[in-house]
Amino acid sequence: MSRYKINNKQIMINLLEYRSDRSKQTCTGGDLEWARSILFDDYTKFWTGFHSETVYAKEGYFPPNDRKTAEKVAFINFLNLNKRDKCKILDIGTGAGQFLKLCNSLGHDATGTEVQKRLDDPVYKIHNHYDLKLFELKLMPNEHVQLPDTYDVITLLRTQFNDIRTREFKEKDWYFWKDNMFEYLNPGGQLFLKTNLKFNKPPRIGRLQNEIMKAFGPPIKGFNSYTYHFIKP
């Protein structure tokens, strides 16, 4: 058990339960085959061989294994993007762009963002191959960002908010960030945040988890890291 104090109330989180429950980030075999058919072709195979020394290739982000591909489909299903009419989506920290590519293939209007060093990585060739719309964006504590449009869905999937050398998001920063995102959400819009904060608690990591819990409460069960889903009234 892990104890968190929120609004002067101590609540308990069963970390073992959270770690063992990945029920919301899986998909059916048919869904996985659909995603594979869209994401992989002769060019992606060539890129994988030619750019095997890049960060994305070395760390297994591209090409993604079946588990990571299934996770992208699971996000789509969780947000009901596989069943709703065309909507505008912004994916912050889009990585290699698989989620955007799948959303566009469903008829949605999806745009992504990345920090400049990722846009300069050879993965930009995958972005071009997928015909993605991207712009540079960096999120920092207590810094207001201006987005070019309003959206029906804003996603942040394993986006890195905290950096061991330069920044940590505190409770007040999380409130500030959510209010900032809500400015650019249409009424009824969804804000989906899947952090890279795992369900473990070494001293520093536990402190970061504590801060997001103080802001937003217990995370959703079924994902392998702290995950939150908000809907704008």
Side-chain angles (χ1 to χ4, degrees):
M1 289 288 200
S2 182
R3 293 177 173 82
Y4 294 86
K5 199 167 187 179
I6 300 174
N7 296 328
N8 294 320
K9 293 181 179 179
Q10 194 173 70
I11 63 173
M12 300 186 70
I13 297 297
N14 189 320
L15 293 179
L16 182 59
E17 277 187 17
Y18 273 91
R19 279 199 298 266
S20 61
D21 186 352
R22 298 190 177 190
S23 58
K24 288 185 172 64
Q25 61 181 65
T26 60
C27 69
T28 67
D31 282 347
L32 183 59
E33 286 301 320
W34 165 77
R36 284 193 194 121
S37 71
I38 292 167
L39 297 176
F40 303 120
D41 56 21
D42 289 343
Y43 181 80
T44 58
K45 183 178 181 180
F46 160 77
W47 186 95
T48 300
F50 195 77
H51 294 291
S52 60
E53 296 302 308
T54 66
V55 170
Y56 278 91
K58 281 186 174 180
E59 295 184 2
Y61 291 107
F62 198 90
N65 57 32
D66 281 351
R67 179 177 58 80
K68 290 182 178 178
T69 301
E71 185 181 67
K72 300 296 189 296
V73 178
F75 297 147
I76 287 172
N77 294 343
F78 181 84
L79 295 168
N80 211 34
L81 297 174
N82 57 331
K83 297 178 180 177
R84 66 175 291 176
D85 293 335
K86 179 180 178 179
C87 67
K88 294 196 71 167
I89 300 168
L90 178 67
D91 182 44
I92 297 176
T94 203
Q98 300 100 311
F99 178 73
L100 283 188
K101 176 65 174 175
L102 294 175
C103 287
N104 285 332
S105 74
L106 291 169
H108 299 301
D109 180 8
T111 302
T113 82
E114 259 302 345
V115 295
Q116 191 59 51
K117 69 178 180 179
R118 295 306 186 203
L119 294 175
D120 292 336
D121 187 278
V123 77
Y124 81 87
K125 296 177 183 178
I126 296 295
H127 297 156
N128 291 340
H129 180 63
Y130 284 166
D131 195 25
L132 303 181
K133 295 182 295 183
L134 294 170
F135 63 91
E136 181 187 1
L137 182 69
K138 188 173 185 177
L139 298 175
M140 297 293 288
N142 206 40
E143 287 189 9
H144 186 271
V145 298
Q146 291 190 343
L147 300 178
D149 209 338
T150 59
Y151 304 90
D152 301 301
V153 179
I154 297 178
T155 57
L156 301 94
L157 310 176
R158 296 183 179 274
T159 302
Q160 183 173 338
F161 283 85
N162 301 290
D163 184 278
I164 194 167
R165 292 175 295 277
T166 60
R167 66 189 185 276
E168 290 186 5
F169 269 66
K170 306 294 187 183
E171 177 185 7
K172 63 180 177 59
D173 301 315
W174 285 118
Y175 286 131
F176 185 92
W177 165 80
K178 181 187 172 187
D179 289 344
N180 191 176
M181 295 297 100
F182 265 40
E183 292 177 40
Y184 295 95
L185 267 183
N186 295 323
Q190 300 182 83
L191 175 60
F192 184 75
L193 167 65
K194 187 180 193 299
T195 72
N196 59 354
L197 297 174
K198 299 290 187 177
F199 294 110
N200 49 31
K201 201 184 178 186
R204 178 183 175 278
I205 298 299
R207 187 166 70 248
L208 300 179
Q209 293 158 326
N210 192 32
E211 292 299 321
I212 196 170
M213 284 274 289
K214 287 193 292 185
F216 301 144
I220 301 170
K221 279 188 179 180
F223 296 100
N224 70 340
S225 64
Y226 279 62
T227 302
Y228 294 89
H229 181 226
F230 310 100
I231 299 178
K232 182 176 178 177

mmCIF file of all heavy atoms in Angstrom, residues 36 39-40 48 56 60-70 72 96 98 130:
data_model
loop_
_atom_site.group_PDB
_atom_site.id
_atom_site.type_symbol
_atom_site.label_atom_id
_atom_site.label_comp_id
_atom_site.label_asym_id
_atom_site.label_seq_id
_atom_site.Cartn_x
_atom_site.Cartn_y
_atom_site.Cartn_z
ATOM 1 N N ARG A 36 -1.582 -2.798 -37.526
ATOM 2 C CA ARG A 36 -0.366 -3.216 -38.241
ATOM 3 C C ARG A 36 -0.455 -2.879 -39.725
ATOM 4 O O ARG A 36 0.511 -2.434 -40.344
ATOM 5 C CB ARG A 36 -0.173 -4.727 -38.092
ATOM 6 C CG ARG A 36 0.359 -5.201 -36.754
ATOM 7 C CD ARG A 36 0.786 -6.643 -36.912
ATOM 8 N NE ARG A 36 1.025 -7.343 -35.677
ATOM 9 C CZ ARG A 36 0.387 -8.437 -35.304
ATOM 10 N NH1 ARG A 36 -0.563 -8.960 -36.065
ATOM 11 N NH2 ARG A 36 0.686 -9.042 -34.177
ATOM 12 N N LEU A 39 0.230 0.905 -40.103
ATOM 13 C CA LEU A 39 1.486 1.469 -39.626
ATOM 14 C C LEU A 39 2.725 0.918 -40.319
ATOM 15 O O LEU A 39 3.748 1.592 -40.368
ATOM 16 C CB LEU A 39 1.620 1.232 -38.116
ATOM 17 C CG LEU A 39 0.574 1.899 -37.230
ATOM 18 C CD1 LEU A 39 0.778 1.491 -35.776
ATOM 19 C CD2 LEU A 39 0.638 3.417 -37.363
ATOM 20 N N PHE A 40 2.658 -0.297 -40.847
ATOM 21 C CA PHE A 40 3.861 -0.941 -41.355
ATOM 22 C C PHE A 40 3.758 -1.236 -42.843
ATOM 23 O O PHE A 40 2.740 -1.738 -43.332
ATOM 24 C CB PHE A 40 4.123 -2.235 -40.587
ATOM 25 C CG PHE A 40 4.240 -2.022 -39.101
ATOM 26 C CD1 PHE A 40 3.377 -2.638 -38.222
ATOM 27 C CD2 PHE A 40 5.211 -1.169 -38.593
ATOM 28 C CE1 PHE A 40 3.472 -2.426 -36.865
ATOM 29 C CE2 PHE A 40 5.313 -0.955 -37.239
ATOM 30 C CZ PHE A 40 4.445 -1.577 -36.360
ATOM 31 N N THR A 48 13.617 1.202 -40.516
ATOM 32 C CA THR A 48 14.071 0.457 -39.346
ATOM 33 C C THR A 48 15.488 -0.066 -39.536
ATOM 34 O O THR A 48 16.311 -0.012 -38.613
ATOM 35 C CB THR A 48 13.116 -0.712 -39.068
ATOM 36 O OG1 THR A 48 11.801 -0.192 -38.834
ATOM 37 C CG2 THR A 48 13.560 -1.501 -37.856
ATOM 38 N N TYR A 56 14.881 6.414 -31.222
ATOM 39 C CA TYR A 56 13.586 5.746 -31.347
ATOM 40 C C TYR A 56 13.748 4.256 -31.614
ATOM 41 O O TYR A 56 13.014 3.439 -31.070
ATOM 42 C CB TYR A 56 12.760 6.392 -32.463
ATOM 43 C CG TYR A 56 12.053 7.639 -32.011
ATOM 44 C CD1 TYR A 56 12.645 8.873 -32.131
ATOM 45 C CD2 TYR A 56 10.782 7.576 -31.433
ATOM 46 C CE1 TYR A 56 12.004 10.030 -31.697
ATOM 47 C CE2 TYR A 56 10.130 8.714 -31.003
ATOM 48 C CZ TYR A 56 10.747 9.939 -31.136
ATOM 49 O OH TYR A 56 10.117 11.068 -30.704
ATOM 50 N N GLY A 60 13.104 1.127 -28.738
ATOM 51 C CA GLY A 60 11.948 0.310 -29.079
ATOM 52 C C GLY A 60 10.674 1.076 -29.381
ATOM 53 O O GLY A 60 9.585 0.494 -29.400
ATOM 54 N N TYR A 61 10.812 2.385 -29.663
ATOM 55 C CA TYR A 61 9.607 3.158 -29.967
ATOM 56 C C TYR A 61 9.194 3.024 -31.426
ATOM 57 O O TYR A 61 8.027 3.193 -31.770
ATOM 58 C CB TYR A 61 9.823 4.627 -29.612
ATOM 59 C CG TYR A 61 9.921 4.854 -28.122
ATOM 60 C CD1 TYR A 61 11.140 5.140 -27.522
ATOM 61 C CD2 TYR A 61 8.797 4.750 -27.311
ATOM 62 C CE1 TYR A 61 11.242 5.318 -26.153
ATOM 63 C CE2 TYR A 61 8.886 4.929 -25.945
ATOM 64 C CZ TYR A 61 10.108 5.212 -25.366
ATOM 65 O OH TYR A 61 10.196 5.385 -24.014
ATOM 66 N N PHE A 62 10.171 2.764 -32.273
ATOM 67 C CA PHE A 62 9.839 2.495 -33.671
ATOM 68 C C PHE A 62 10.887 1.558 -34.248
ATOM 69 O O PHE A 62 12.076 1.842 -34.170
ATOM 70 C CB PHE A 62 9.774 3.777 -34.504
ATOM 71 C CG PHE A 62 9.016 3.546 -35.787
ATOM 72 C CD1 PHE A 62 7.651 3.739 -35.812
ATOM 73 C CD2 PHE A 62 9.643 3.064 -36.913
ATOM 74 C CE1 PHE A 62 6.930 3.493 -36.962
ATOM 75 C CE2 PHE A 62 8.945 2.810 -38.063
ATOM 76 C CZ PHE A 62 7.580 3.033 -38.095
ATOM 77 N N PRO A 63 10.477 0.440 -34.851
ATOM 78 C CA PRO A 63 9.061 0.041 -34.922
ATOM 79 C C PRO A 63 8.558 -0.447 -33.561
ATOM 80 O O PRO A 63 9.311 -1.098 -32.826
ATOM 81 C CB PRO A 63 9.073 -1.093 -35.939
ATOM 82 C CG PRO A 63 10.434 -1.699 -35.796
ATOM 83 C CD PRO A 63 11.358 -0.553 -35.489
ATOM 84 N N PRO A 64 7.323 -0.167 -33.217
ATOM 85 C CA PRO A 64 6.801 -0.621 -31.926
ATOM 86 C C PRO A 64 6.517 -2.115 -31.949
ATOM 87 O O PRO A 64 6.160 -2.674 -32.989
ATOM 88 C CB PRO A 64 5.505 0.182 -31.772
ATOM 89 C CG PRO A 64 5.060 0.420 -33.181
ATOM 90 C CD PRO A 64 6.318 0.578 -33.995
ATOM 91 N N ASN A 65 6.688 -2.763 -30.794
ATOM 92 C CA ASN A 65 6.281 -4.156 -30.711
ATOM 93 C C ASN A 65 4.766 -4.239 -30.619
ATOM 94 O O ASN A 65 4.071 -3.223 -30.550
ATOM 95 C CB ASN A 65 6.954 -4.849 -29.530
ATOM 96 C CG ASN A 65 6.656 -4.164 -28.205
ATOM 97 O OD1 ASN A 65 5.586 -3.589 -28.004
ATOM 98 N ND2 ASN A 65 7.606 -4.214 -27.282
ATOM 99 N N ASP A 66 4.228 -5.436 -30.631
ATOM 100 C CA ASP A 66 2.770 -5.591 -30.623
ATOM 101 C C ASP A 66 2.138 -4.986 -29.373
ATOM 102 O O ASP A 66 1.029 -4.445 -29.430
ATOM 103 C CB ASP A 66 2.395 -7.074 -30.726
ATOM 104 C CG ASP A 66 2.502 -7.599 -32.150
ATOM 105 O OD1 ASP A 66 2.690 -6.786 -33.073
ATOM 106 O OD2 ASP A 66 2.392 -8.828 -32.331
ATOM 107 N N ARG A 67 2.837 -5.066 -28.249
ATOM 108 C CA ARG A 67 2.271 -4.505 -27.016
ATOM 109 C C ARG A 67 2.093 -2.998 -27.123
ATOM 110 O O ARG A 67 1.056 -2.450 -26.731
ATOM 111 C CB ARG A 67 3.176 -4.854 -25.831
ATOM 112 C CG ARG A 67 2.677 -4.291 -24.502
ATOM 113 C CD ARG A 67 3.576 -4.715 -23.348
ATOM 114 N NE ARG A 67 4.948 -4.302 -23.526
ATOM 115 C CZ ARG A 67 5.394 -3.061 -23.271
ATOM 116 N NH1 ARG A 67 4.564 -2.141 -22.832
ATOM 117 N NH2 ARG A 67 6.670 -2.765 -23.436
ATOM 118 N N LYS A 68 3.099 -2.333 -27.690
ATOM 119 C CA LYS A 68 3.002 -0.876 -27.823
ATOM 120 C C LYS A 68 1.997 -0.483 -28.897
ATOM 121 O O LYS A 68 1.309 0.540 -28.775
ATOM 122 C CB LYS A 68 4.380 -0.286 -28.122
ATOM 123 C CG LYS A 68 5.324 -0.364 -26.932
ATOM 124 C CD LYS A 68 6.668 0.261 -27.238
ATOM 125 C CE LYS A 68 7.573 0.198 -26.011
ATOM 126 N NZ LYS A 68 8.912 0.756 -26.271
ATOM 127 N N THR A 69 1.902 -1.268 -29.959
ATOM 128 C CA THR A 69 0.896 -0.995 -30.983
ATOM 129 C C THR A 69 -0.505 -1.182 -30.404
ATOM 130 O O THR A 69 -1.402 -0.363 -30.625
ATOM 131 C CB THR A 69 1.096 -1.917 -32.195
ATOM 132 O OG1 THR A 69 2.402 -1.707 -32.743
ATOM 133 C CG2 THR A 69 0.058 -1.631 -33.272
ATOM 134 N N ALA A 70 -0.682 -2.260 -29.645
ATOM 135 C CA ALA A 70 -1.986 -2.511 -29.020
ATOM 136 C C ALA A 70 -2.362 -1.385 -28.072
ATOM 137 O O ALA A 70 -3.538 -1.011 -27.955
ATOM 138 C CB ALA A 70 -1.957 -3.845 -28.272
ATOM 139 N N LYS A 72 -1.666 1.793 -28.405
ATOM 140 C CA LYS A 72 -2.186 2.920 -29.195
ATOM 141 C C LYS A 72 -3.642 2.673 -29.587
ATOM 142 O O LYS A 72 -4.482 3.586 -29.533
ATOM 143 C CB LYS A 72 -1.336 3.120 -30.452
ATOM 144 C CG LYS A 72 0.120 3.427 -30.192
ATOM 145 C CD LYS A 72 0.304 4.740 -29.471
ATOM 146 C CE LYS A 72 1.764 5.170 -29.392
ATOM 147 N NZ LYS A 72 2.614 4.270 -28.607
ATOM 148 N N ALA A 96 6.819 8.877 -32.528
ATOM 149 C CA ALA A 96 6.944 8.456 -33.924
ATOM 150 C C ALA A 96 5.648 8.638 -34.710
ATOM 151 O O ALA A 96 5.642 8.473 -35.931
ATOM 152 C CB ALA A 96 7.392 6.998 -33.996
ATOM 153 N N GLN A 98 2.507 7.071 -34.399
ATOM 154 C CA GLN A 98 1.569 5.982 -34.698
ATOM 155 C C GLN A 98 0.131 6.319 -34.303
ATOM 156 O O GLN A 98 -0.809 6.007 -35.033
ATOM 157 C CB GLN A 98 1.997 4.690 -33.989
ATOM 158 C CG GLN A 98 3.361 4.191 -34.365
ATOM 159 C CD GLN A 98 4.399 4.567 -33.330
ATOM 160 O OE1 GLN A 98 4.481 5.721 -32.928
ATOM 161 N NE2 GLN A 98 5.183 3.599 -32.894
ATOM 162 N N TYR A 130 4.011 9.218 -42.961
ATOM 163 C CA TYR A 130 2.637 9.128 -42.457
ATOM 164 C C TYR A 130 1.799 10.349 -42.813
ATOM 165 O O TYR A 130 0.596 10.377 -42.540
ATOM 166 C CB TYR A 130 2.653 8.984 -40.929
ATOM 167 C CG TYR A 130 3.031 7.617 -40.395
ATOM 168 C CD1 TYR A 130 3.359 7.459 -39.056
ATOM 169 C CD2 TYR A 130 3.048 6.486 -41.207
ATOM 170 C CE1 TYR A 130 3.683 6.219 -38.522
ATOM 171 C CE2 TYR A 130 3.377 5.247 -40.692
ATOM 172 C CZ TYR A 130 3.697 5.119 -39.353
ATOM 173 O OH TYR A 130 4.017 3.880 -38.834
#
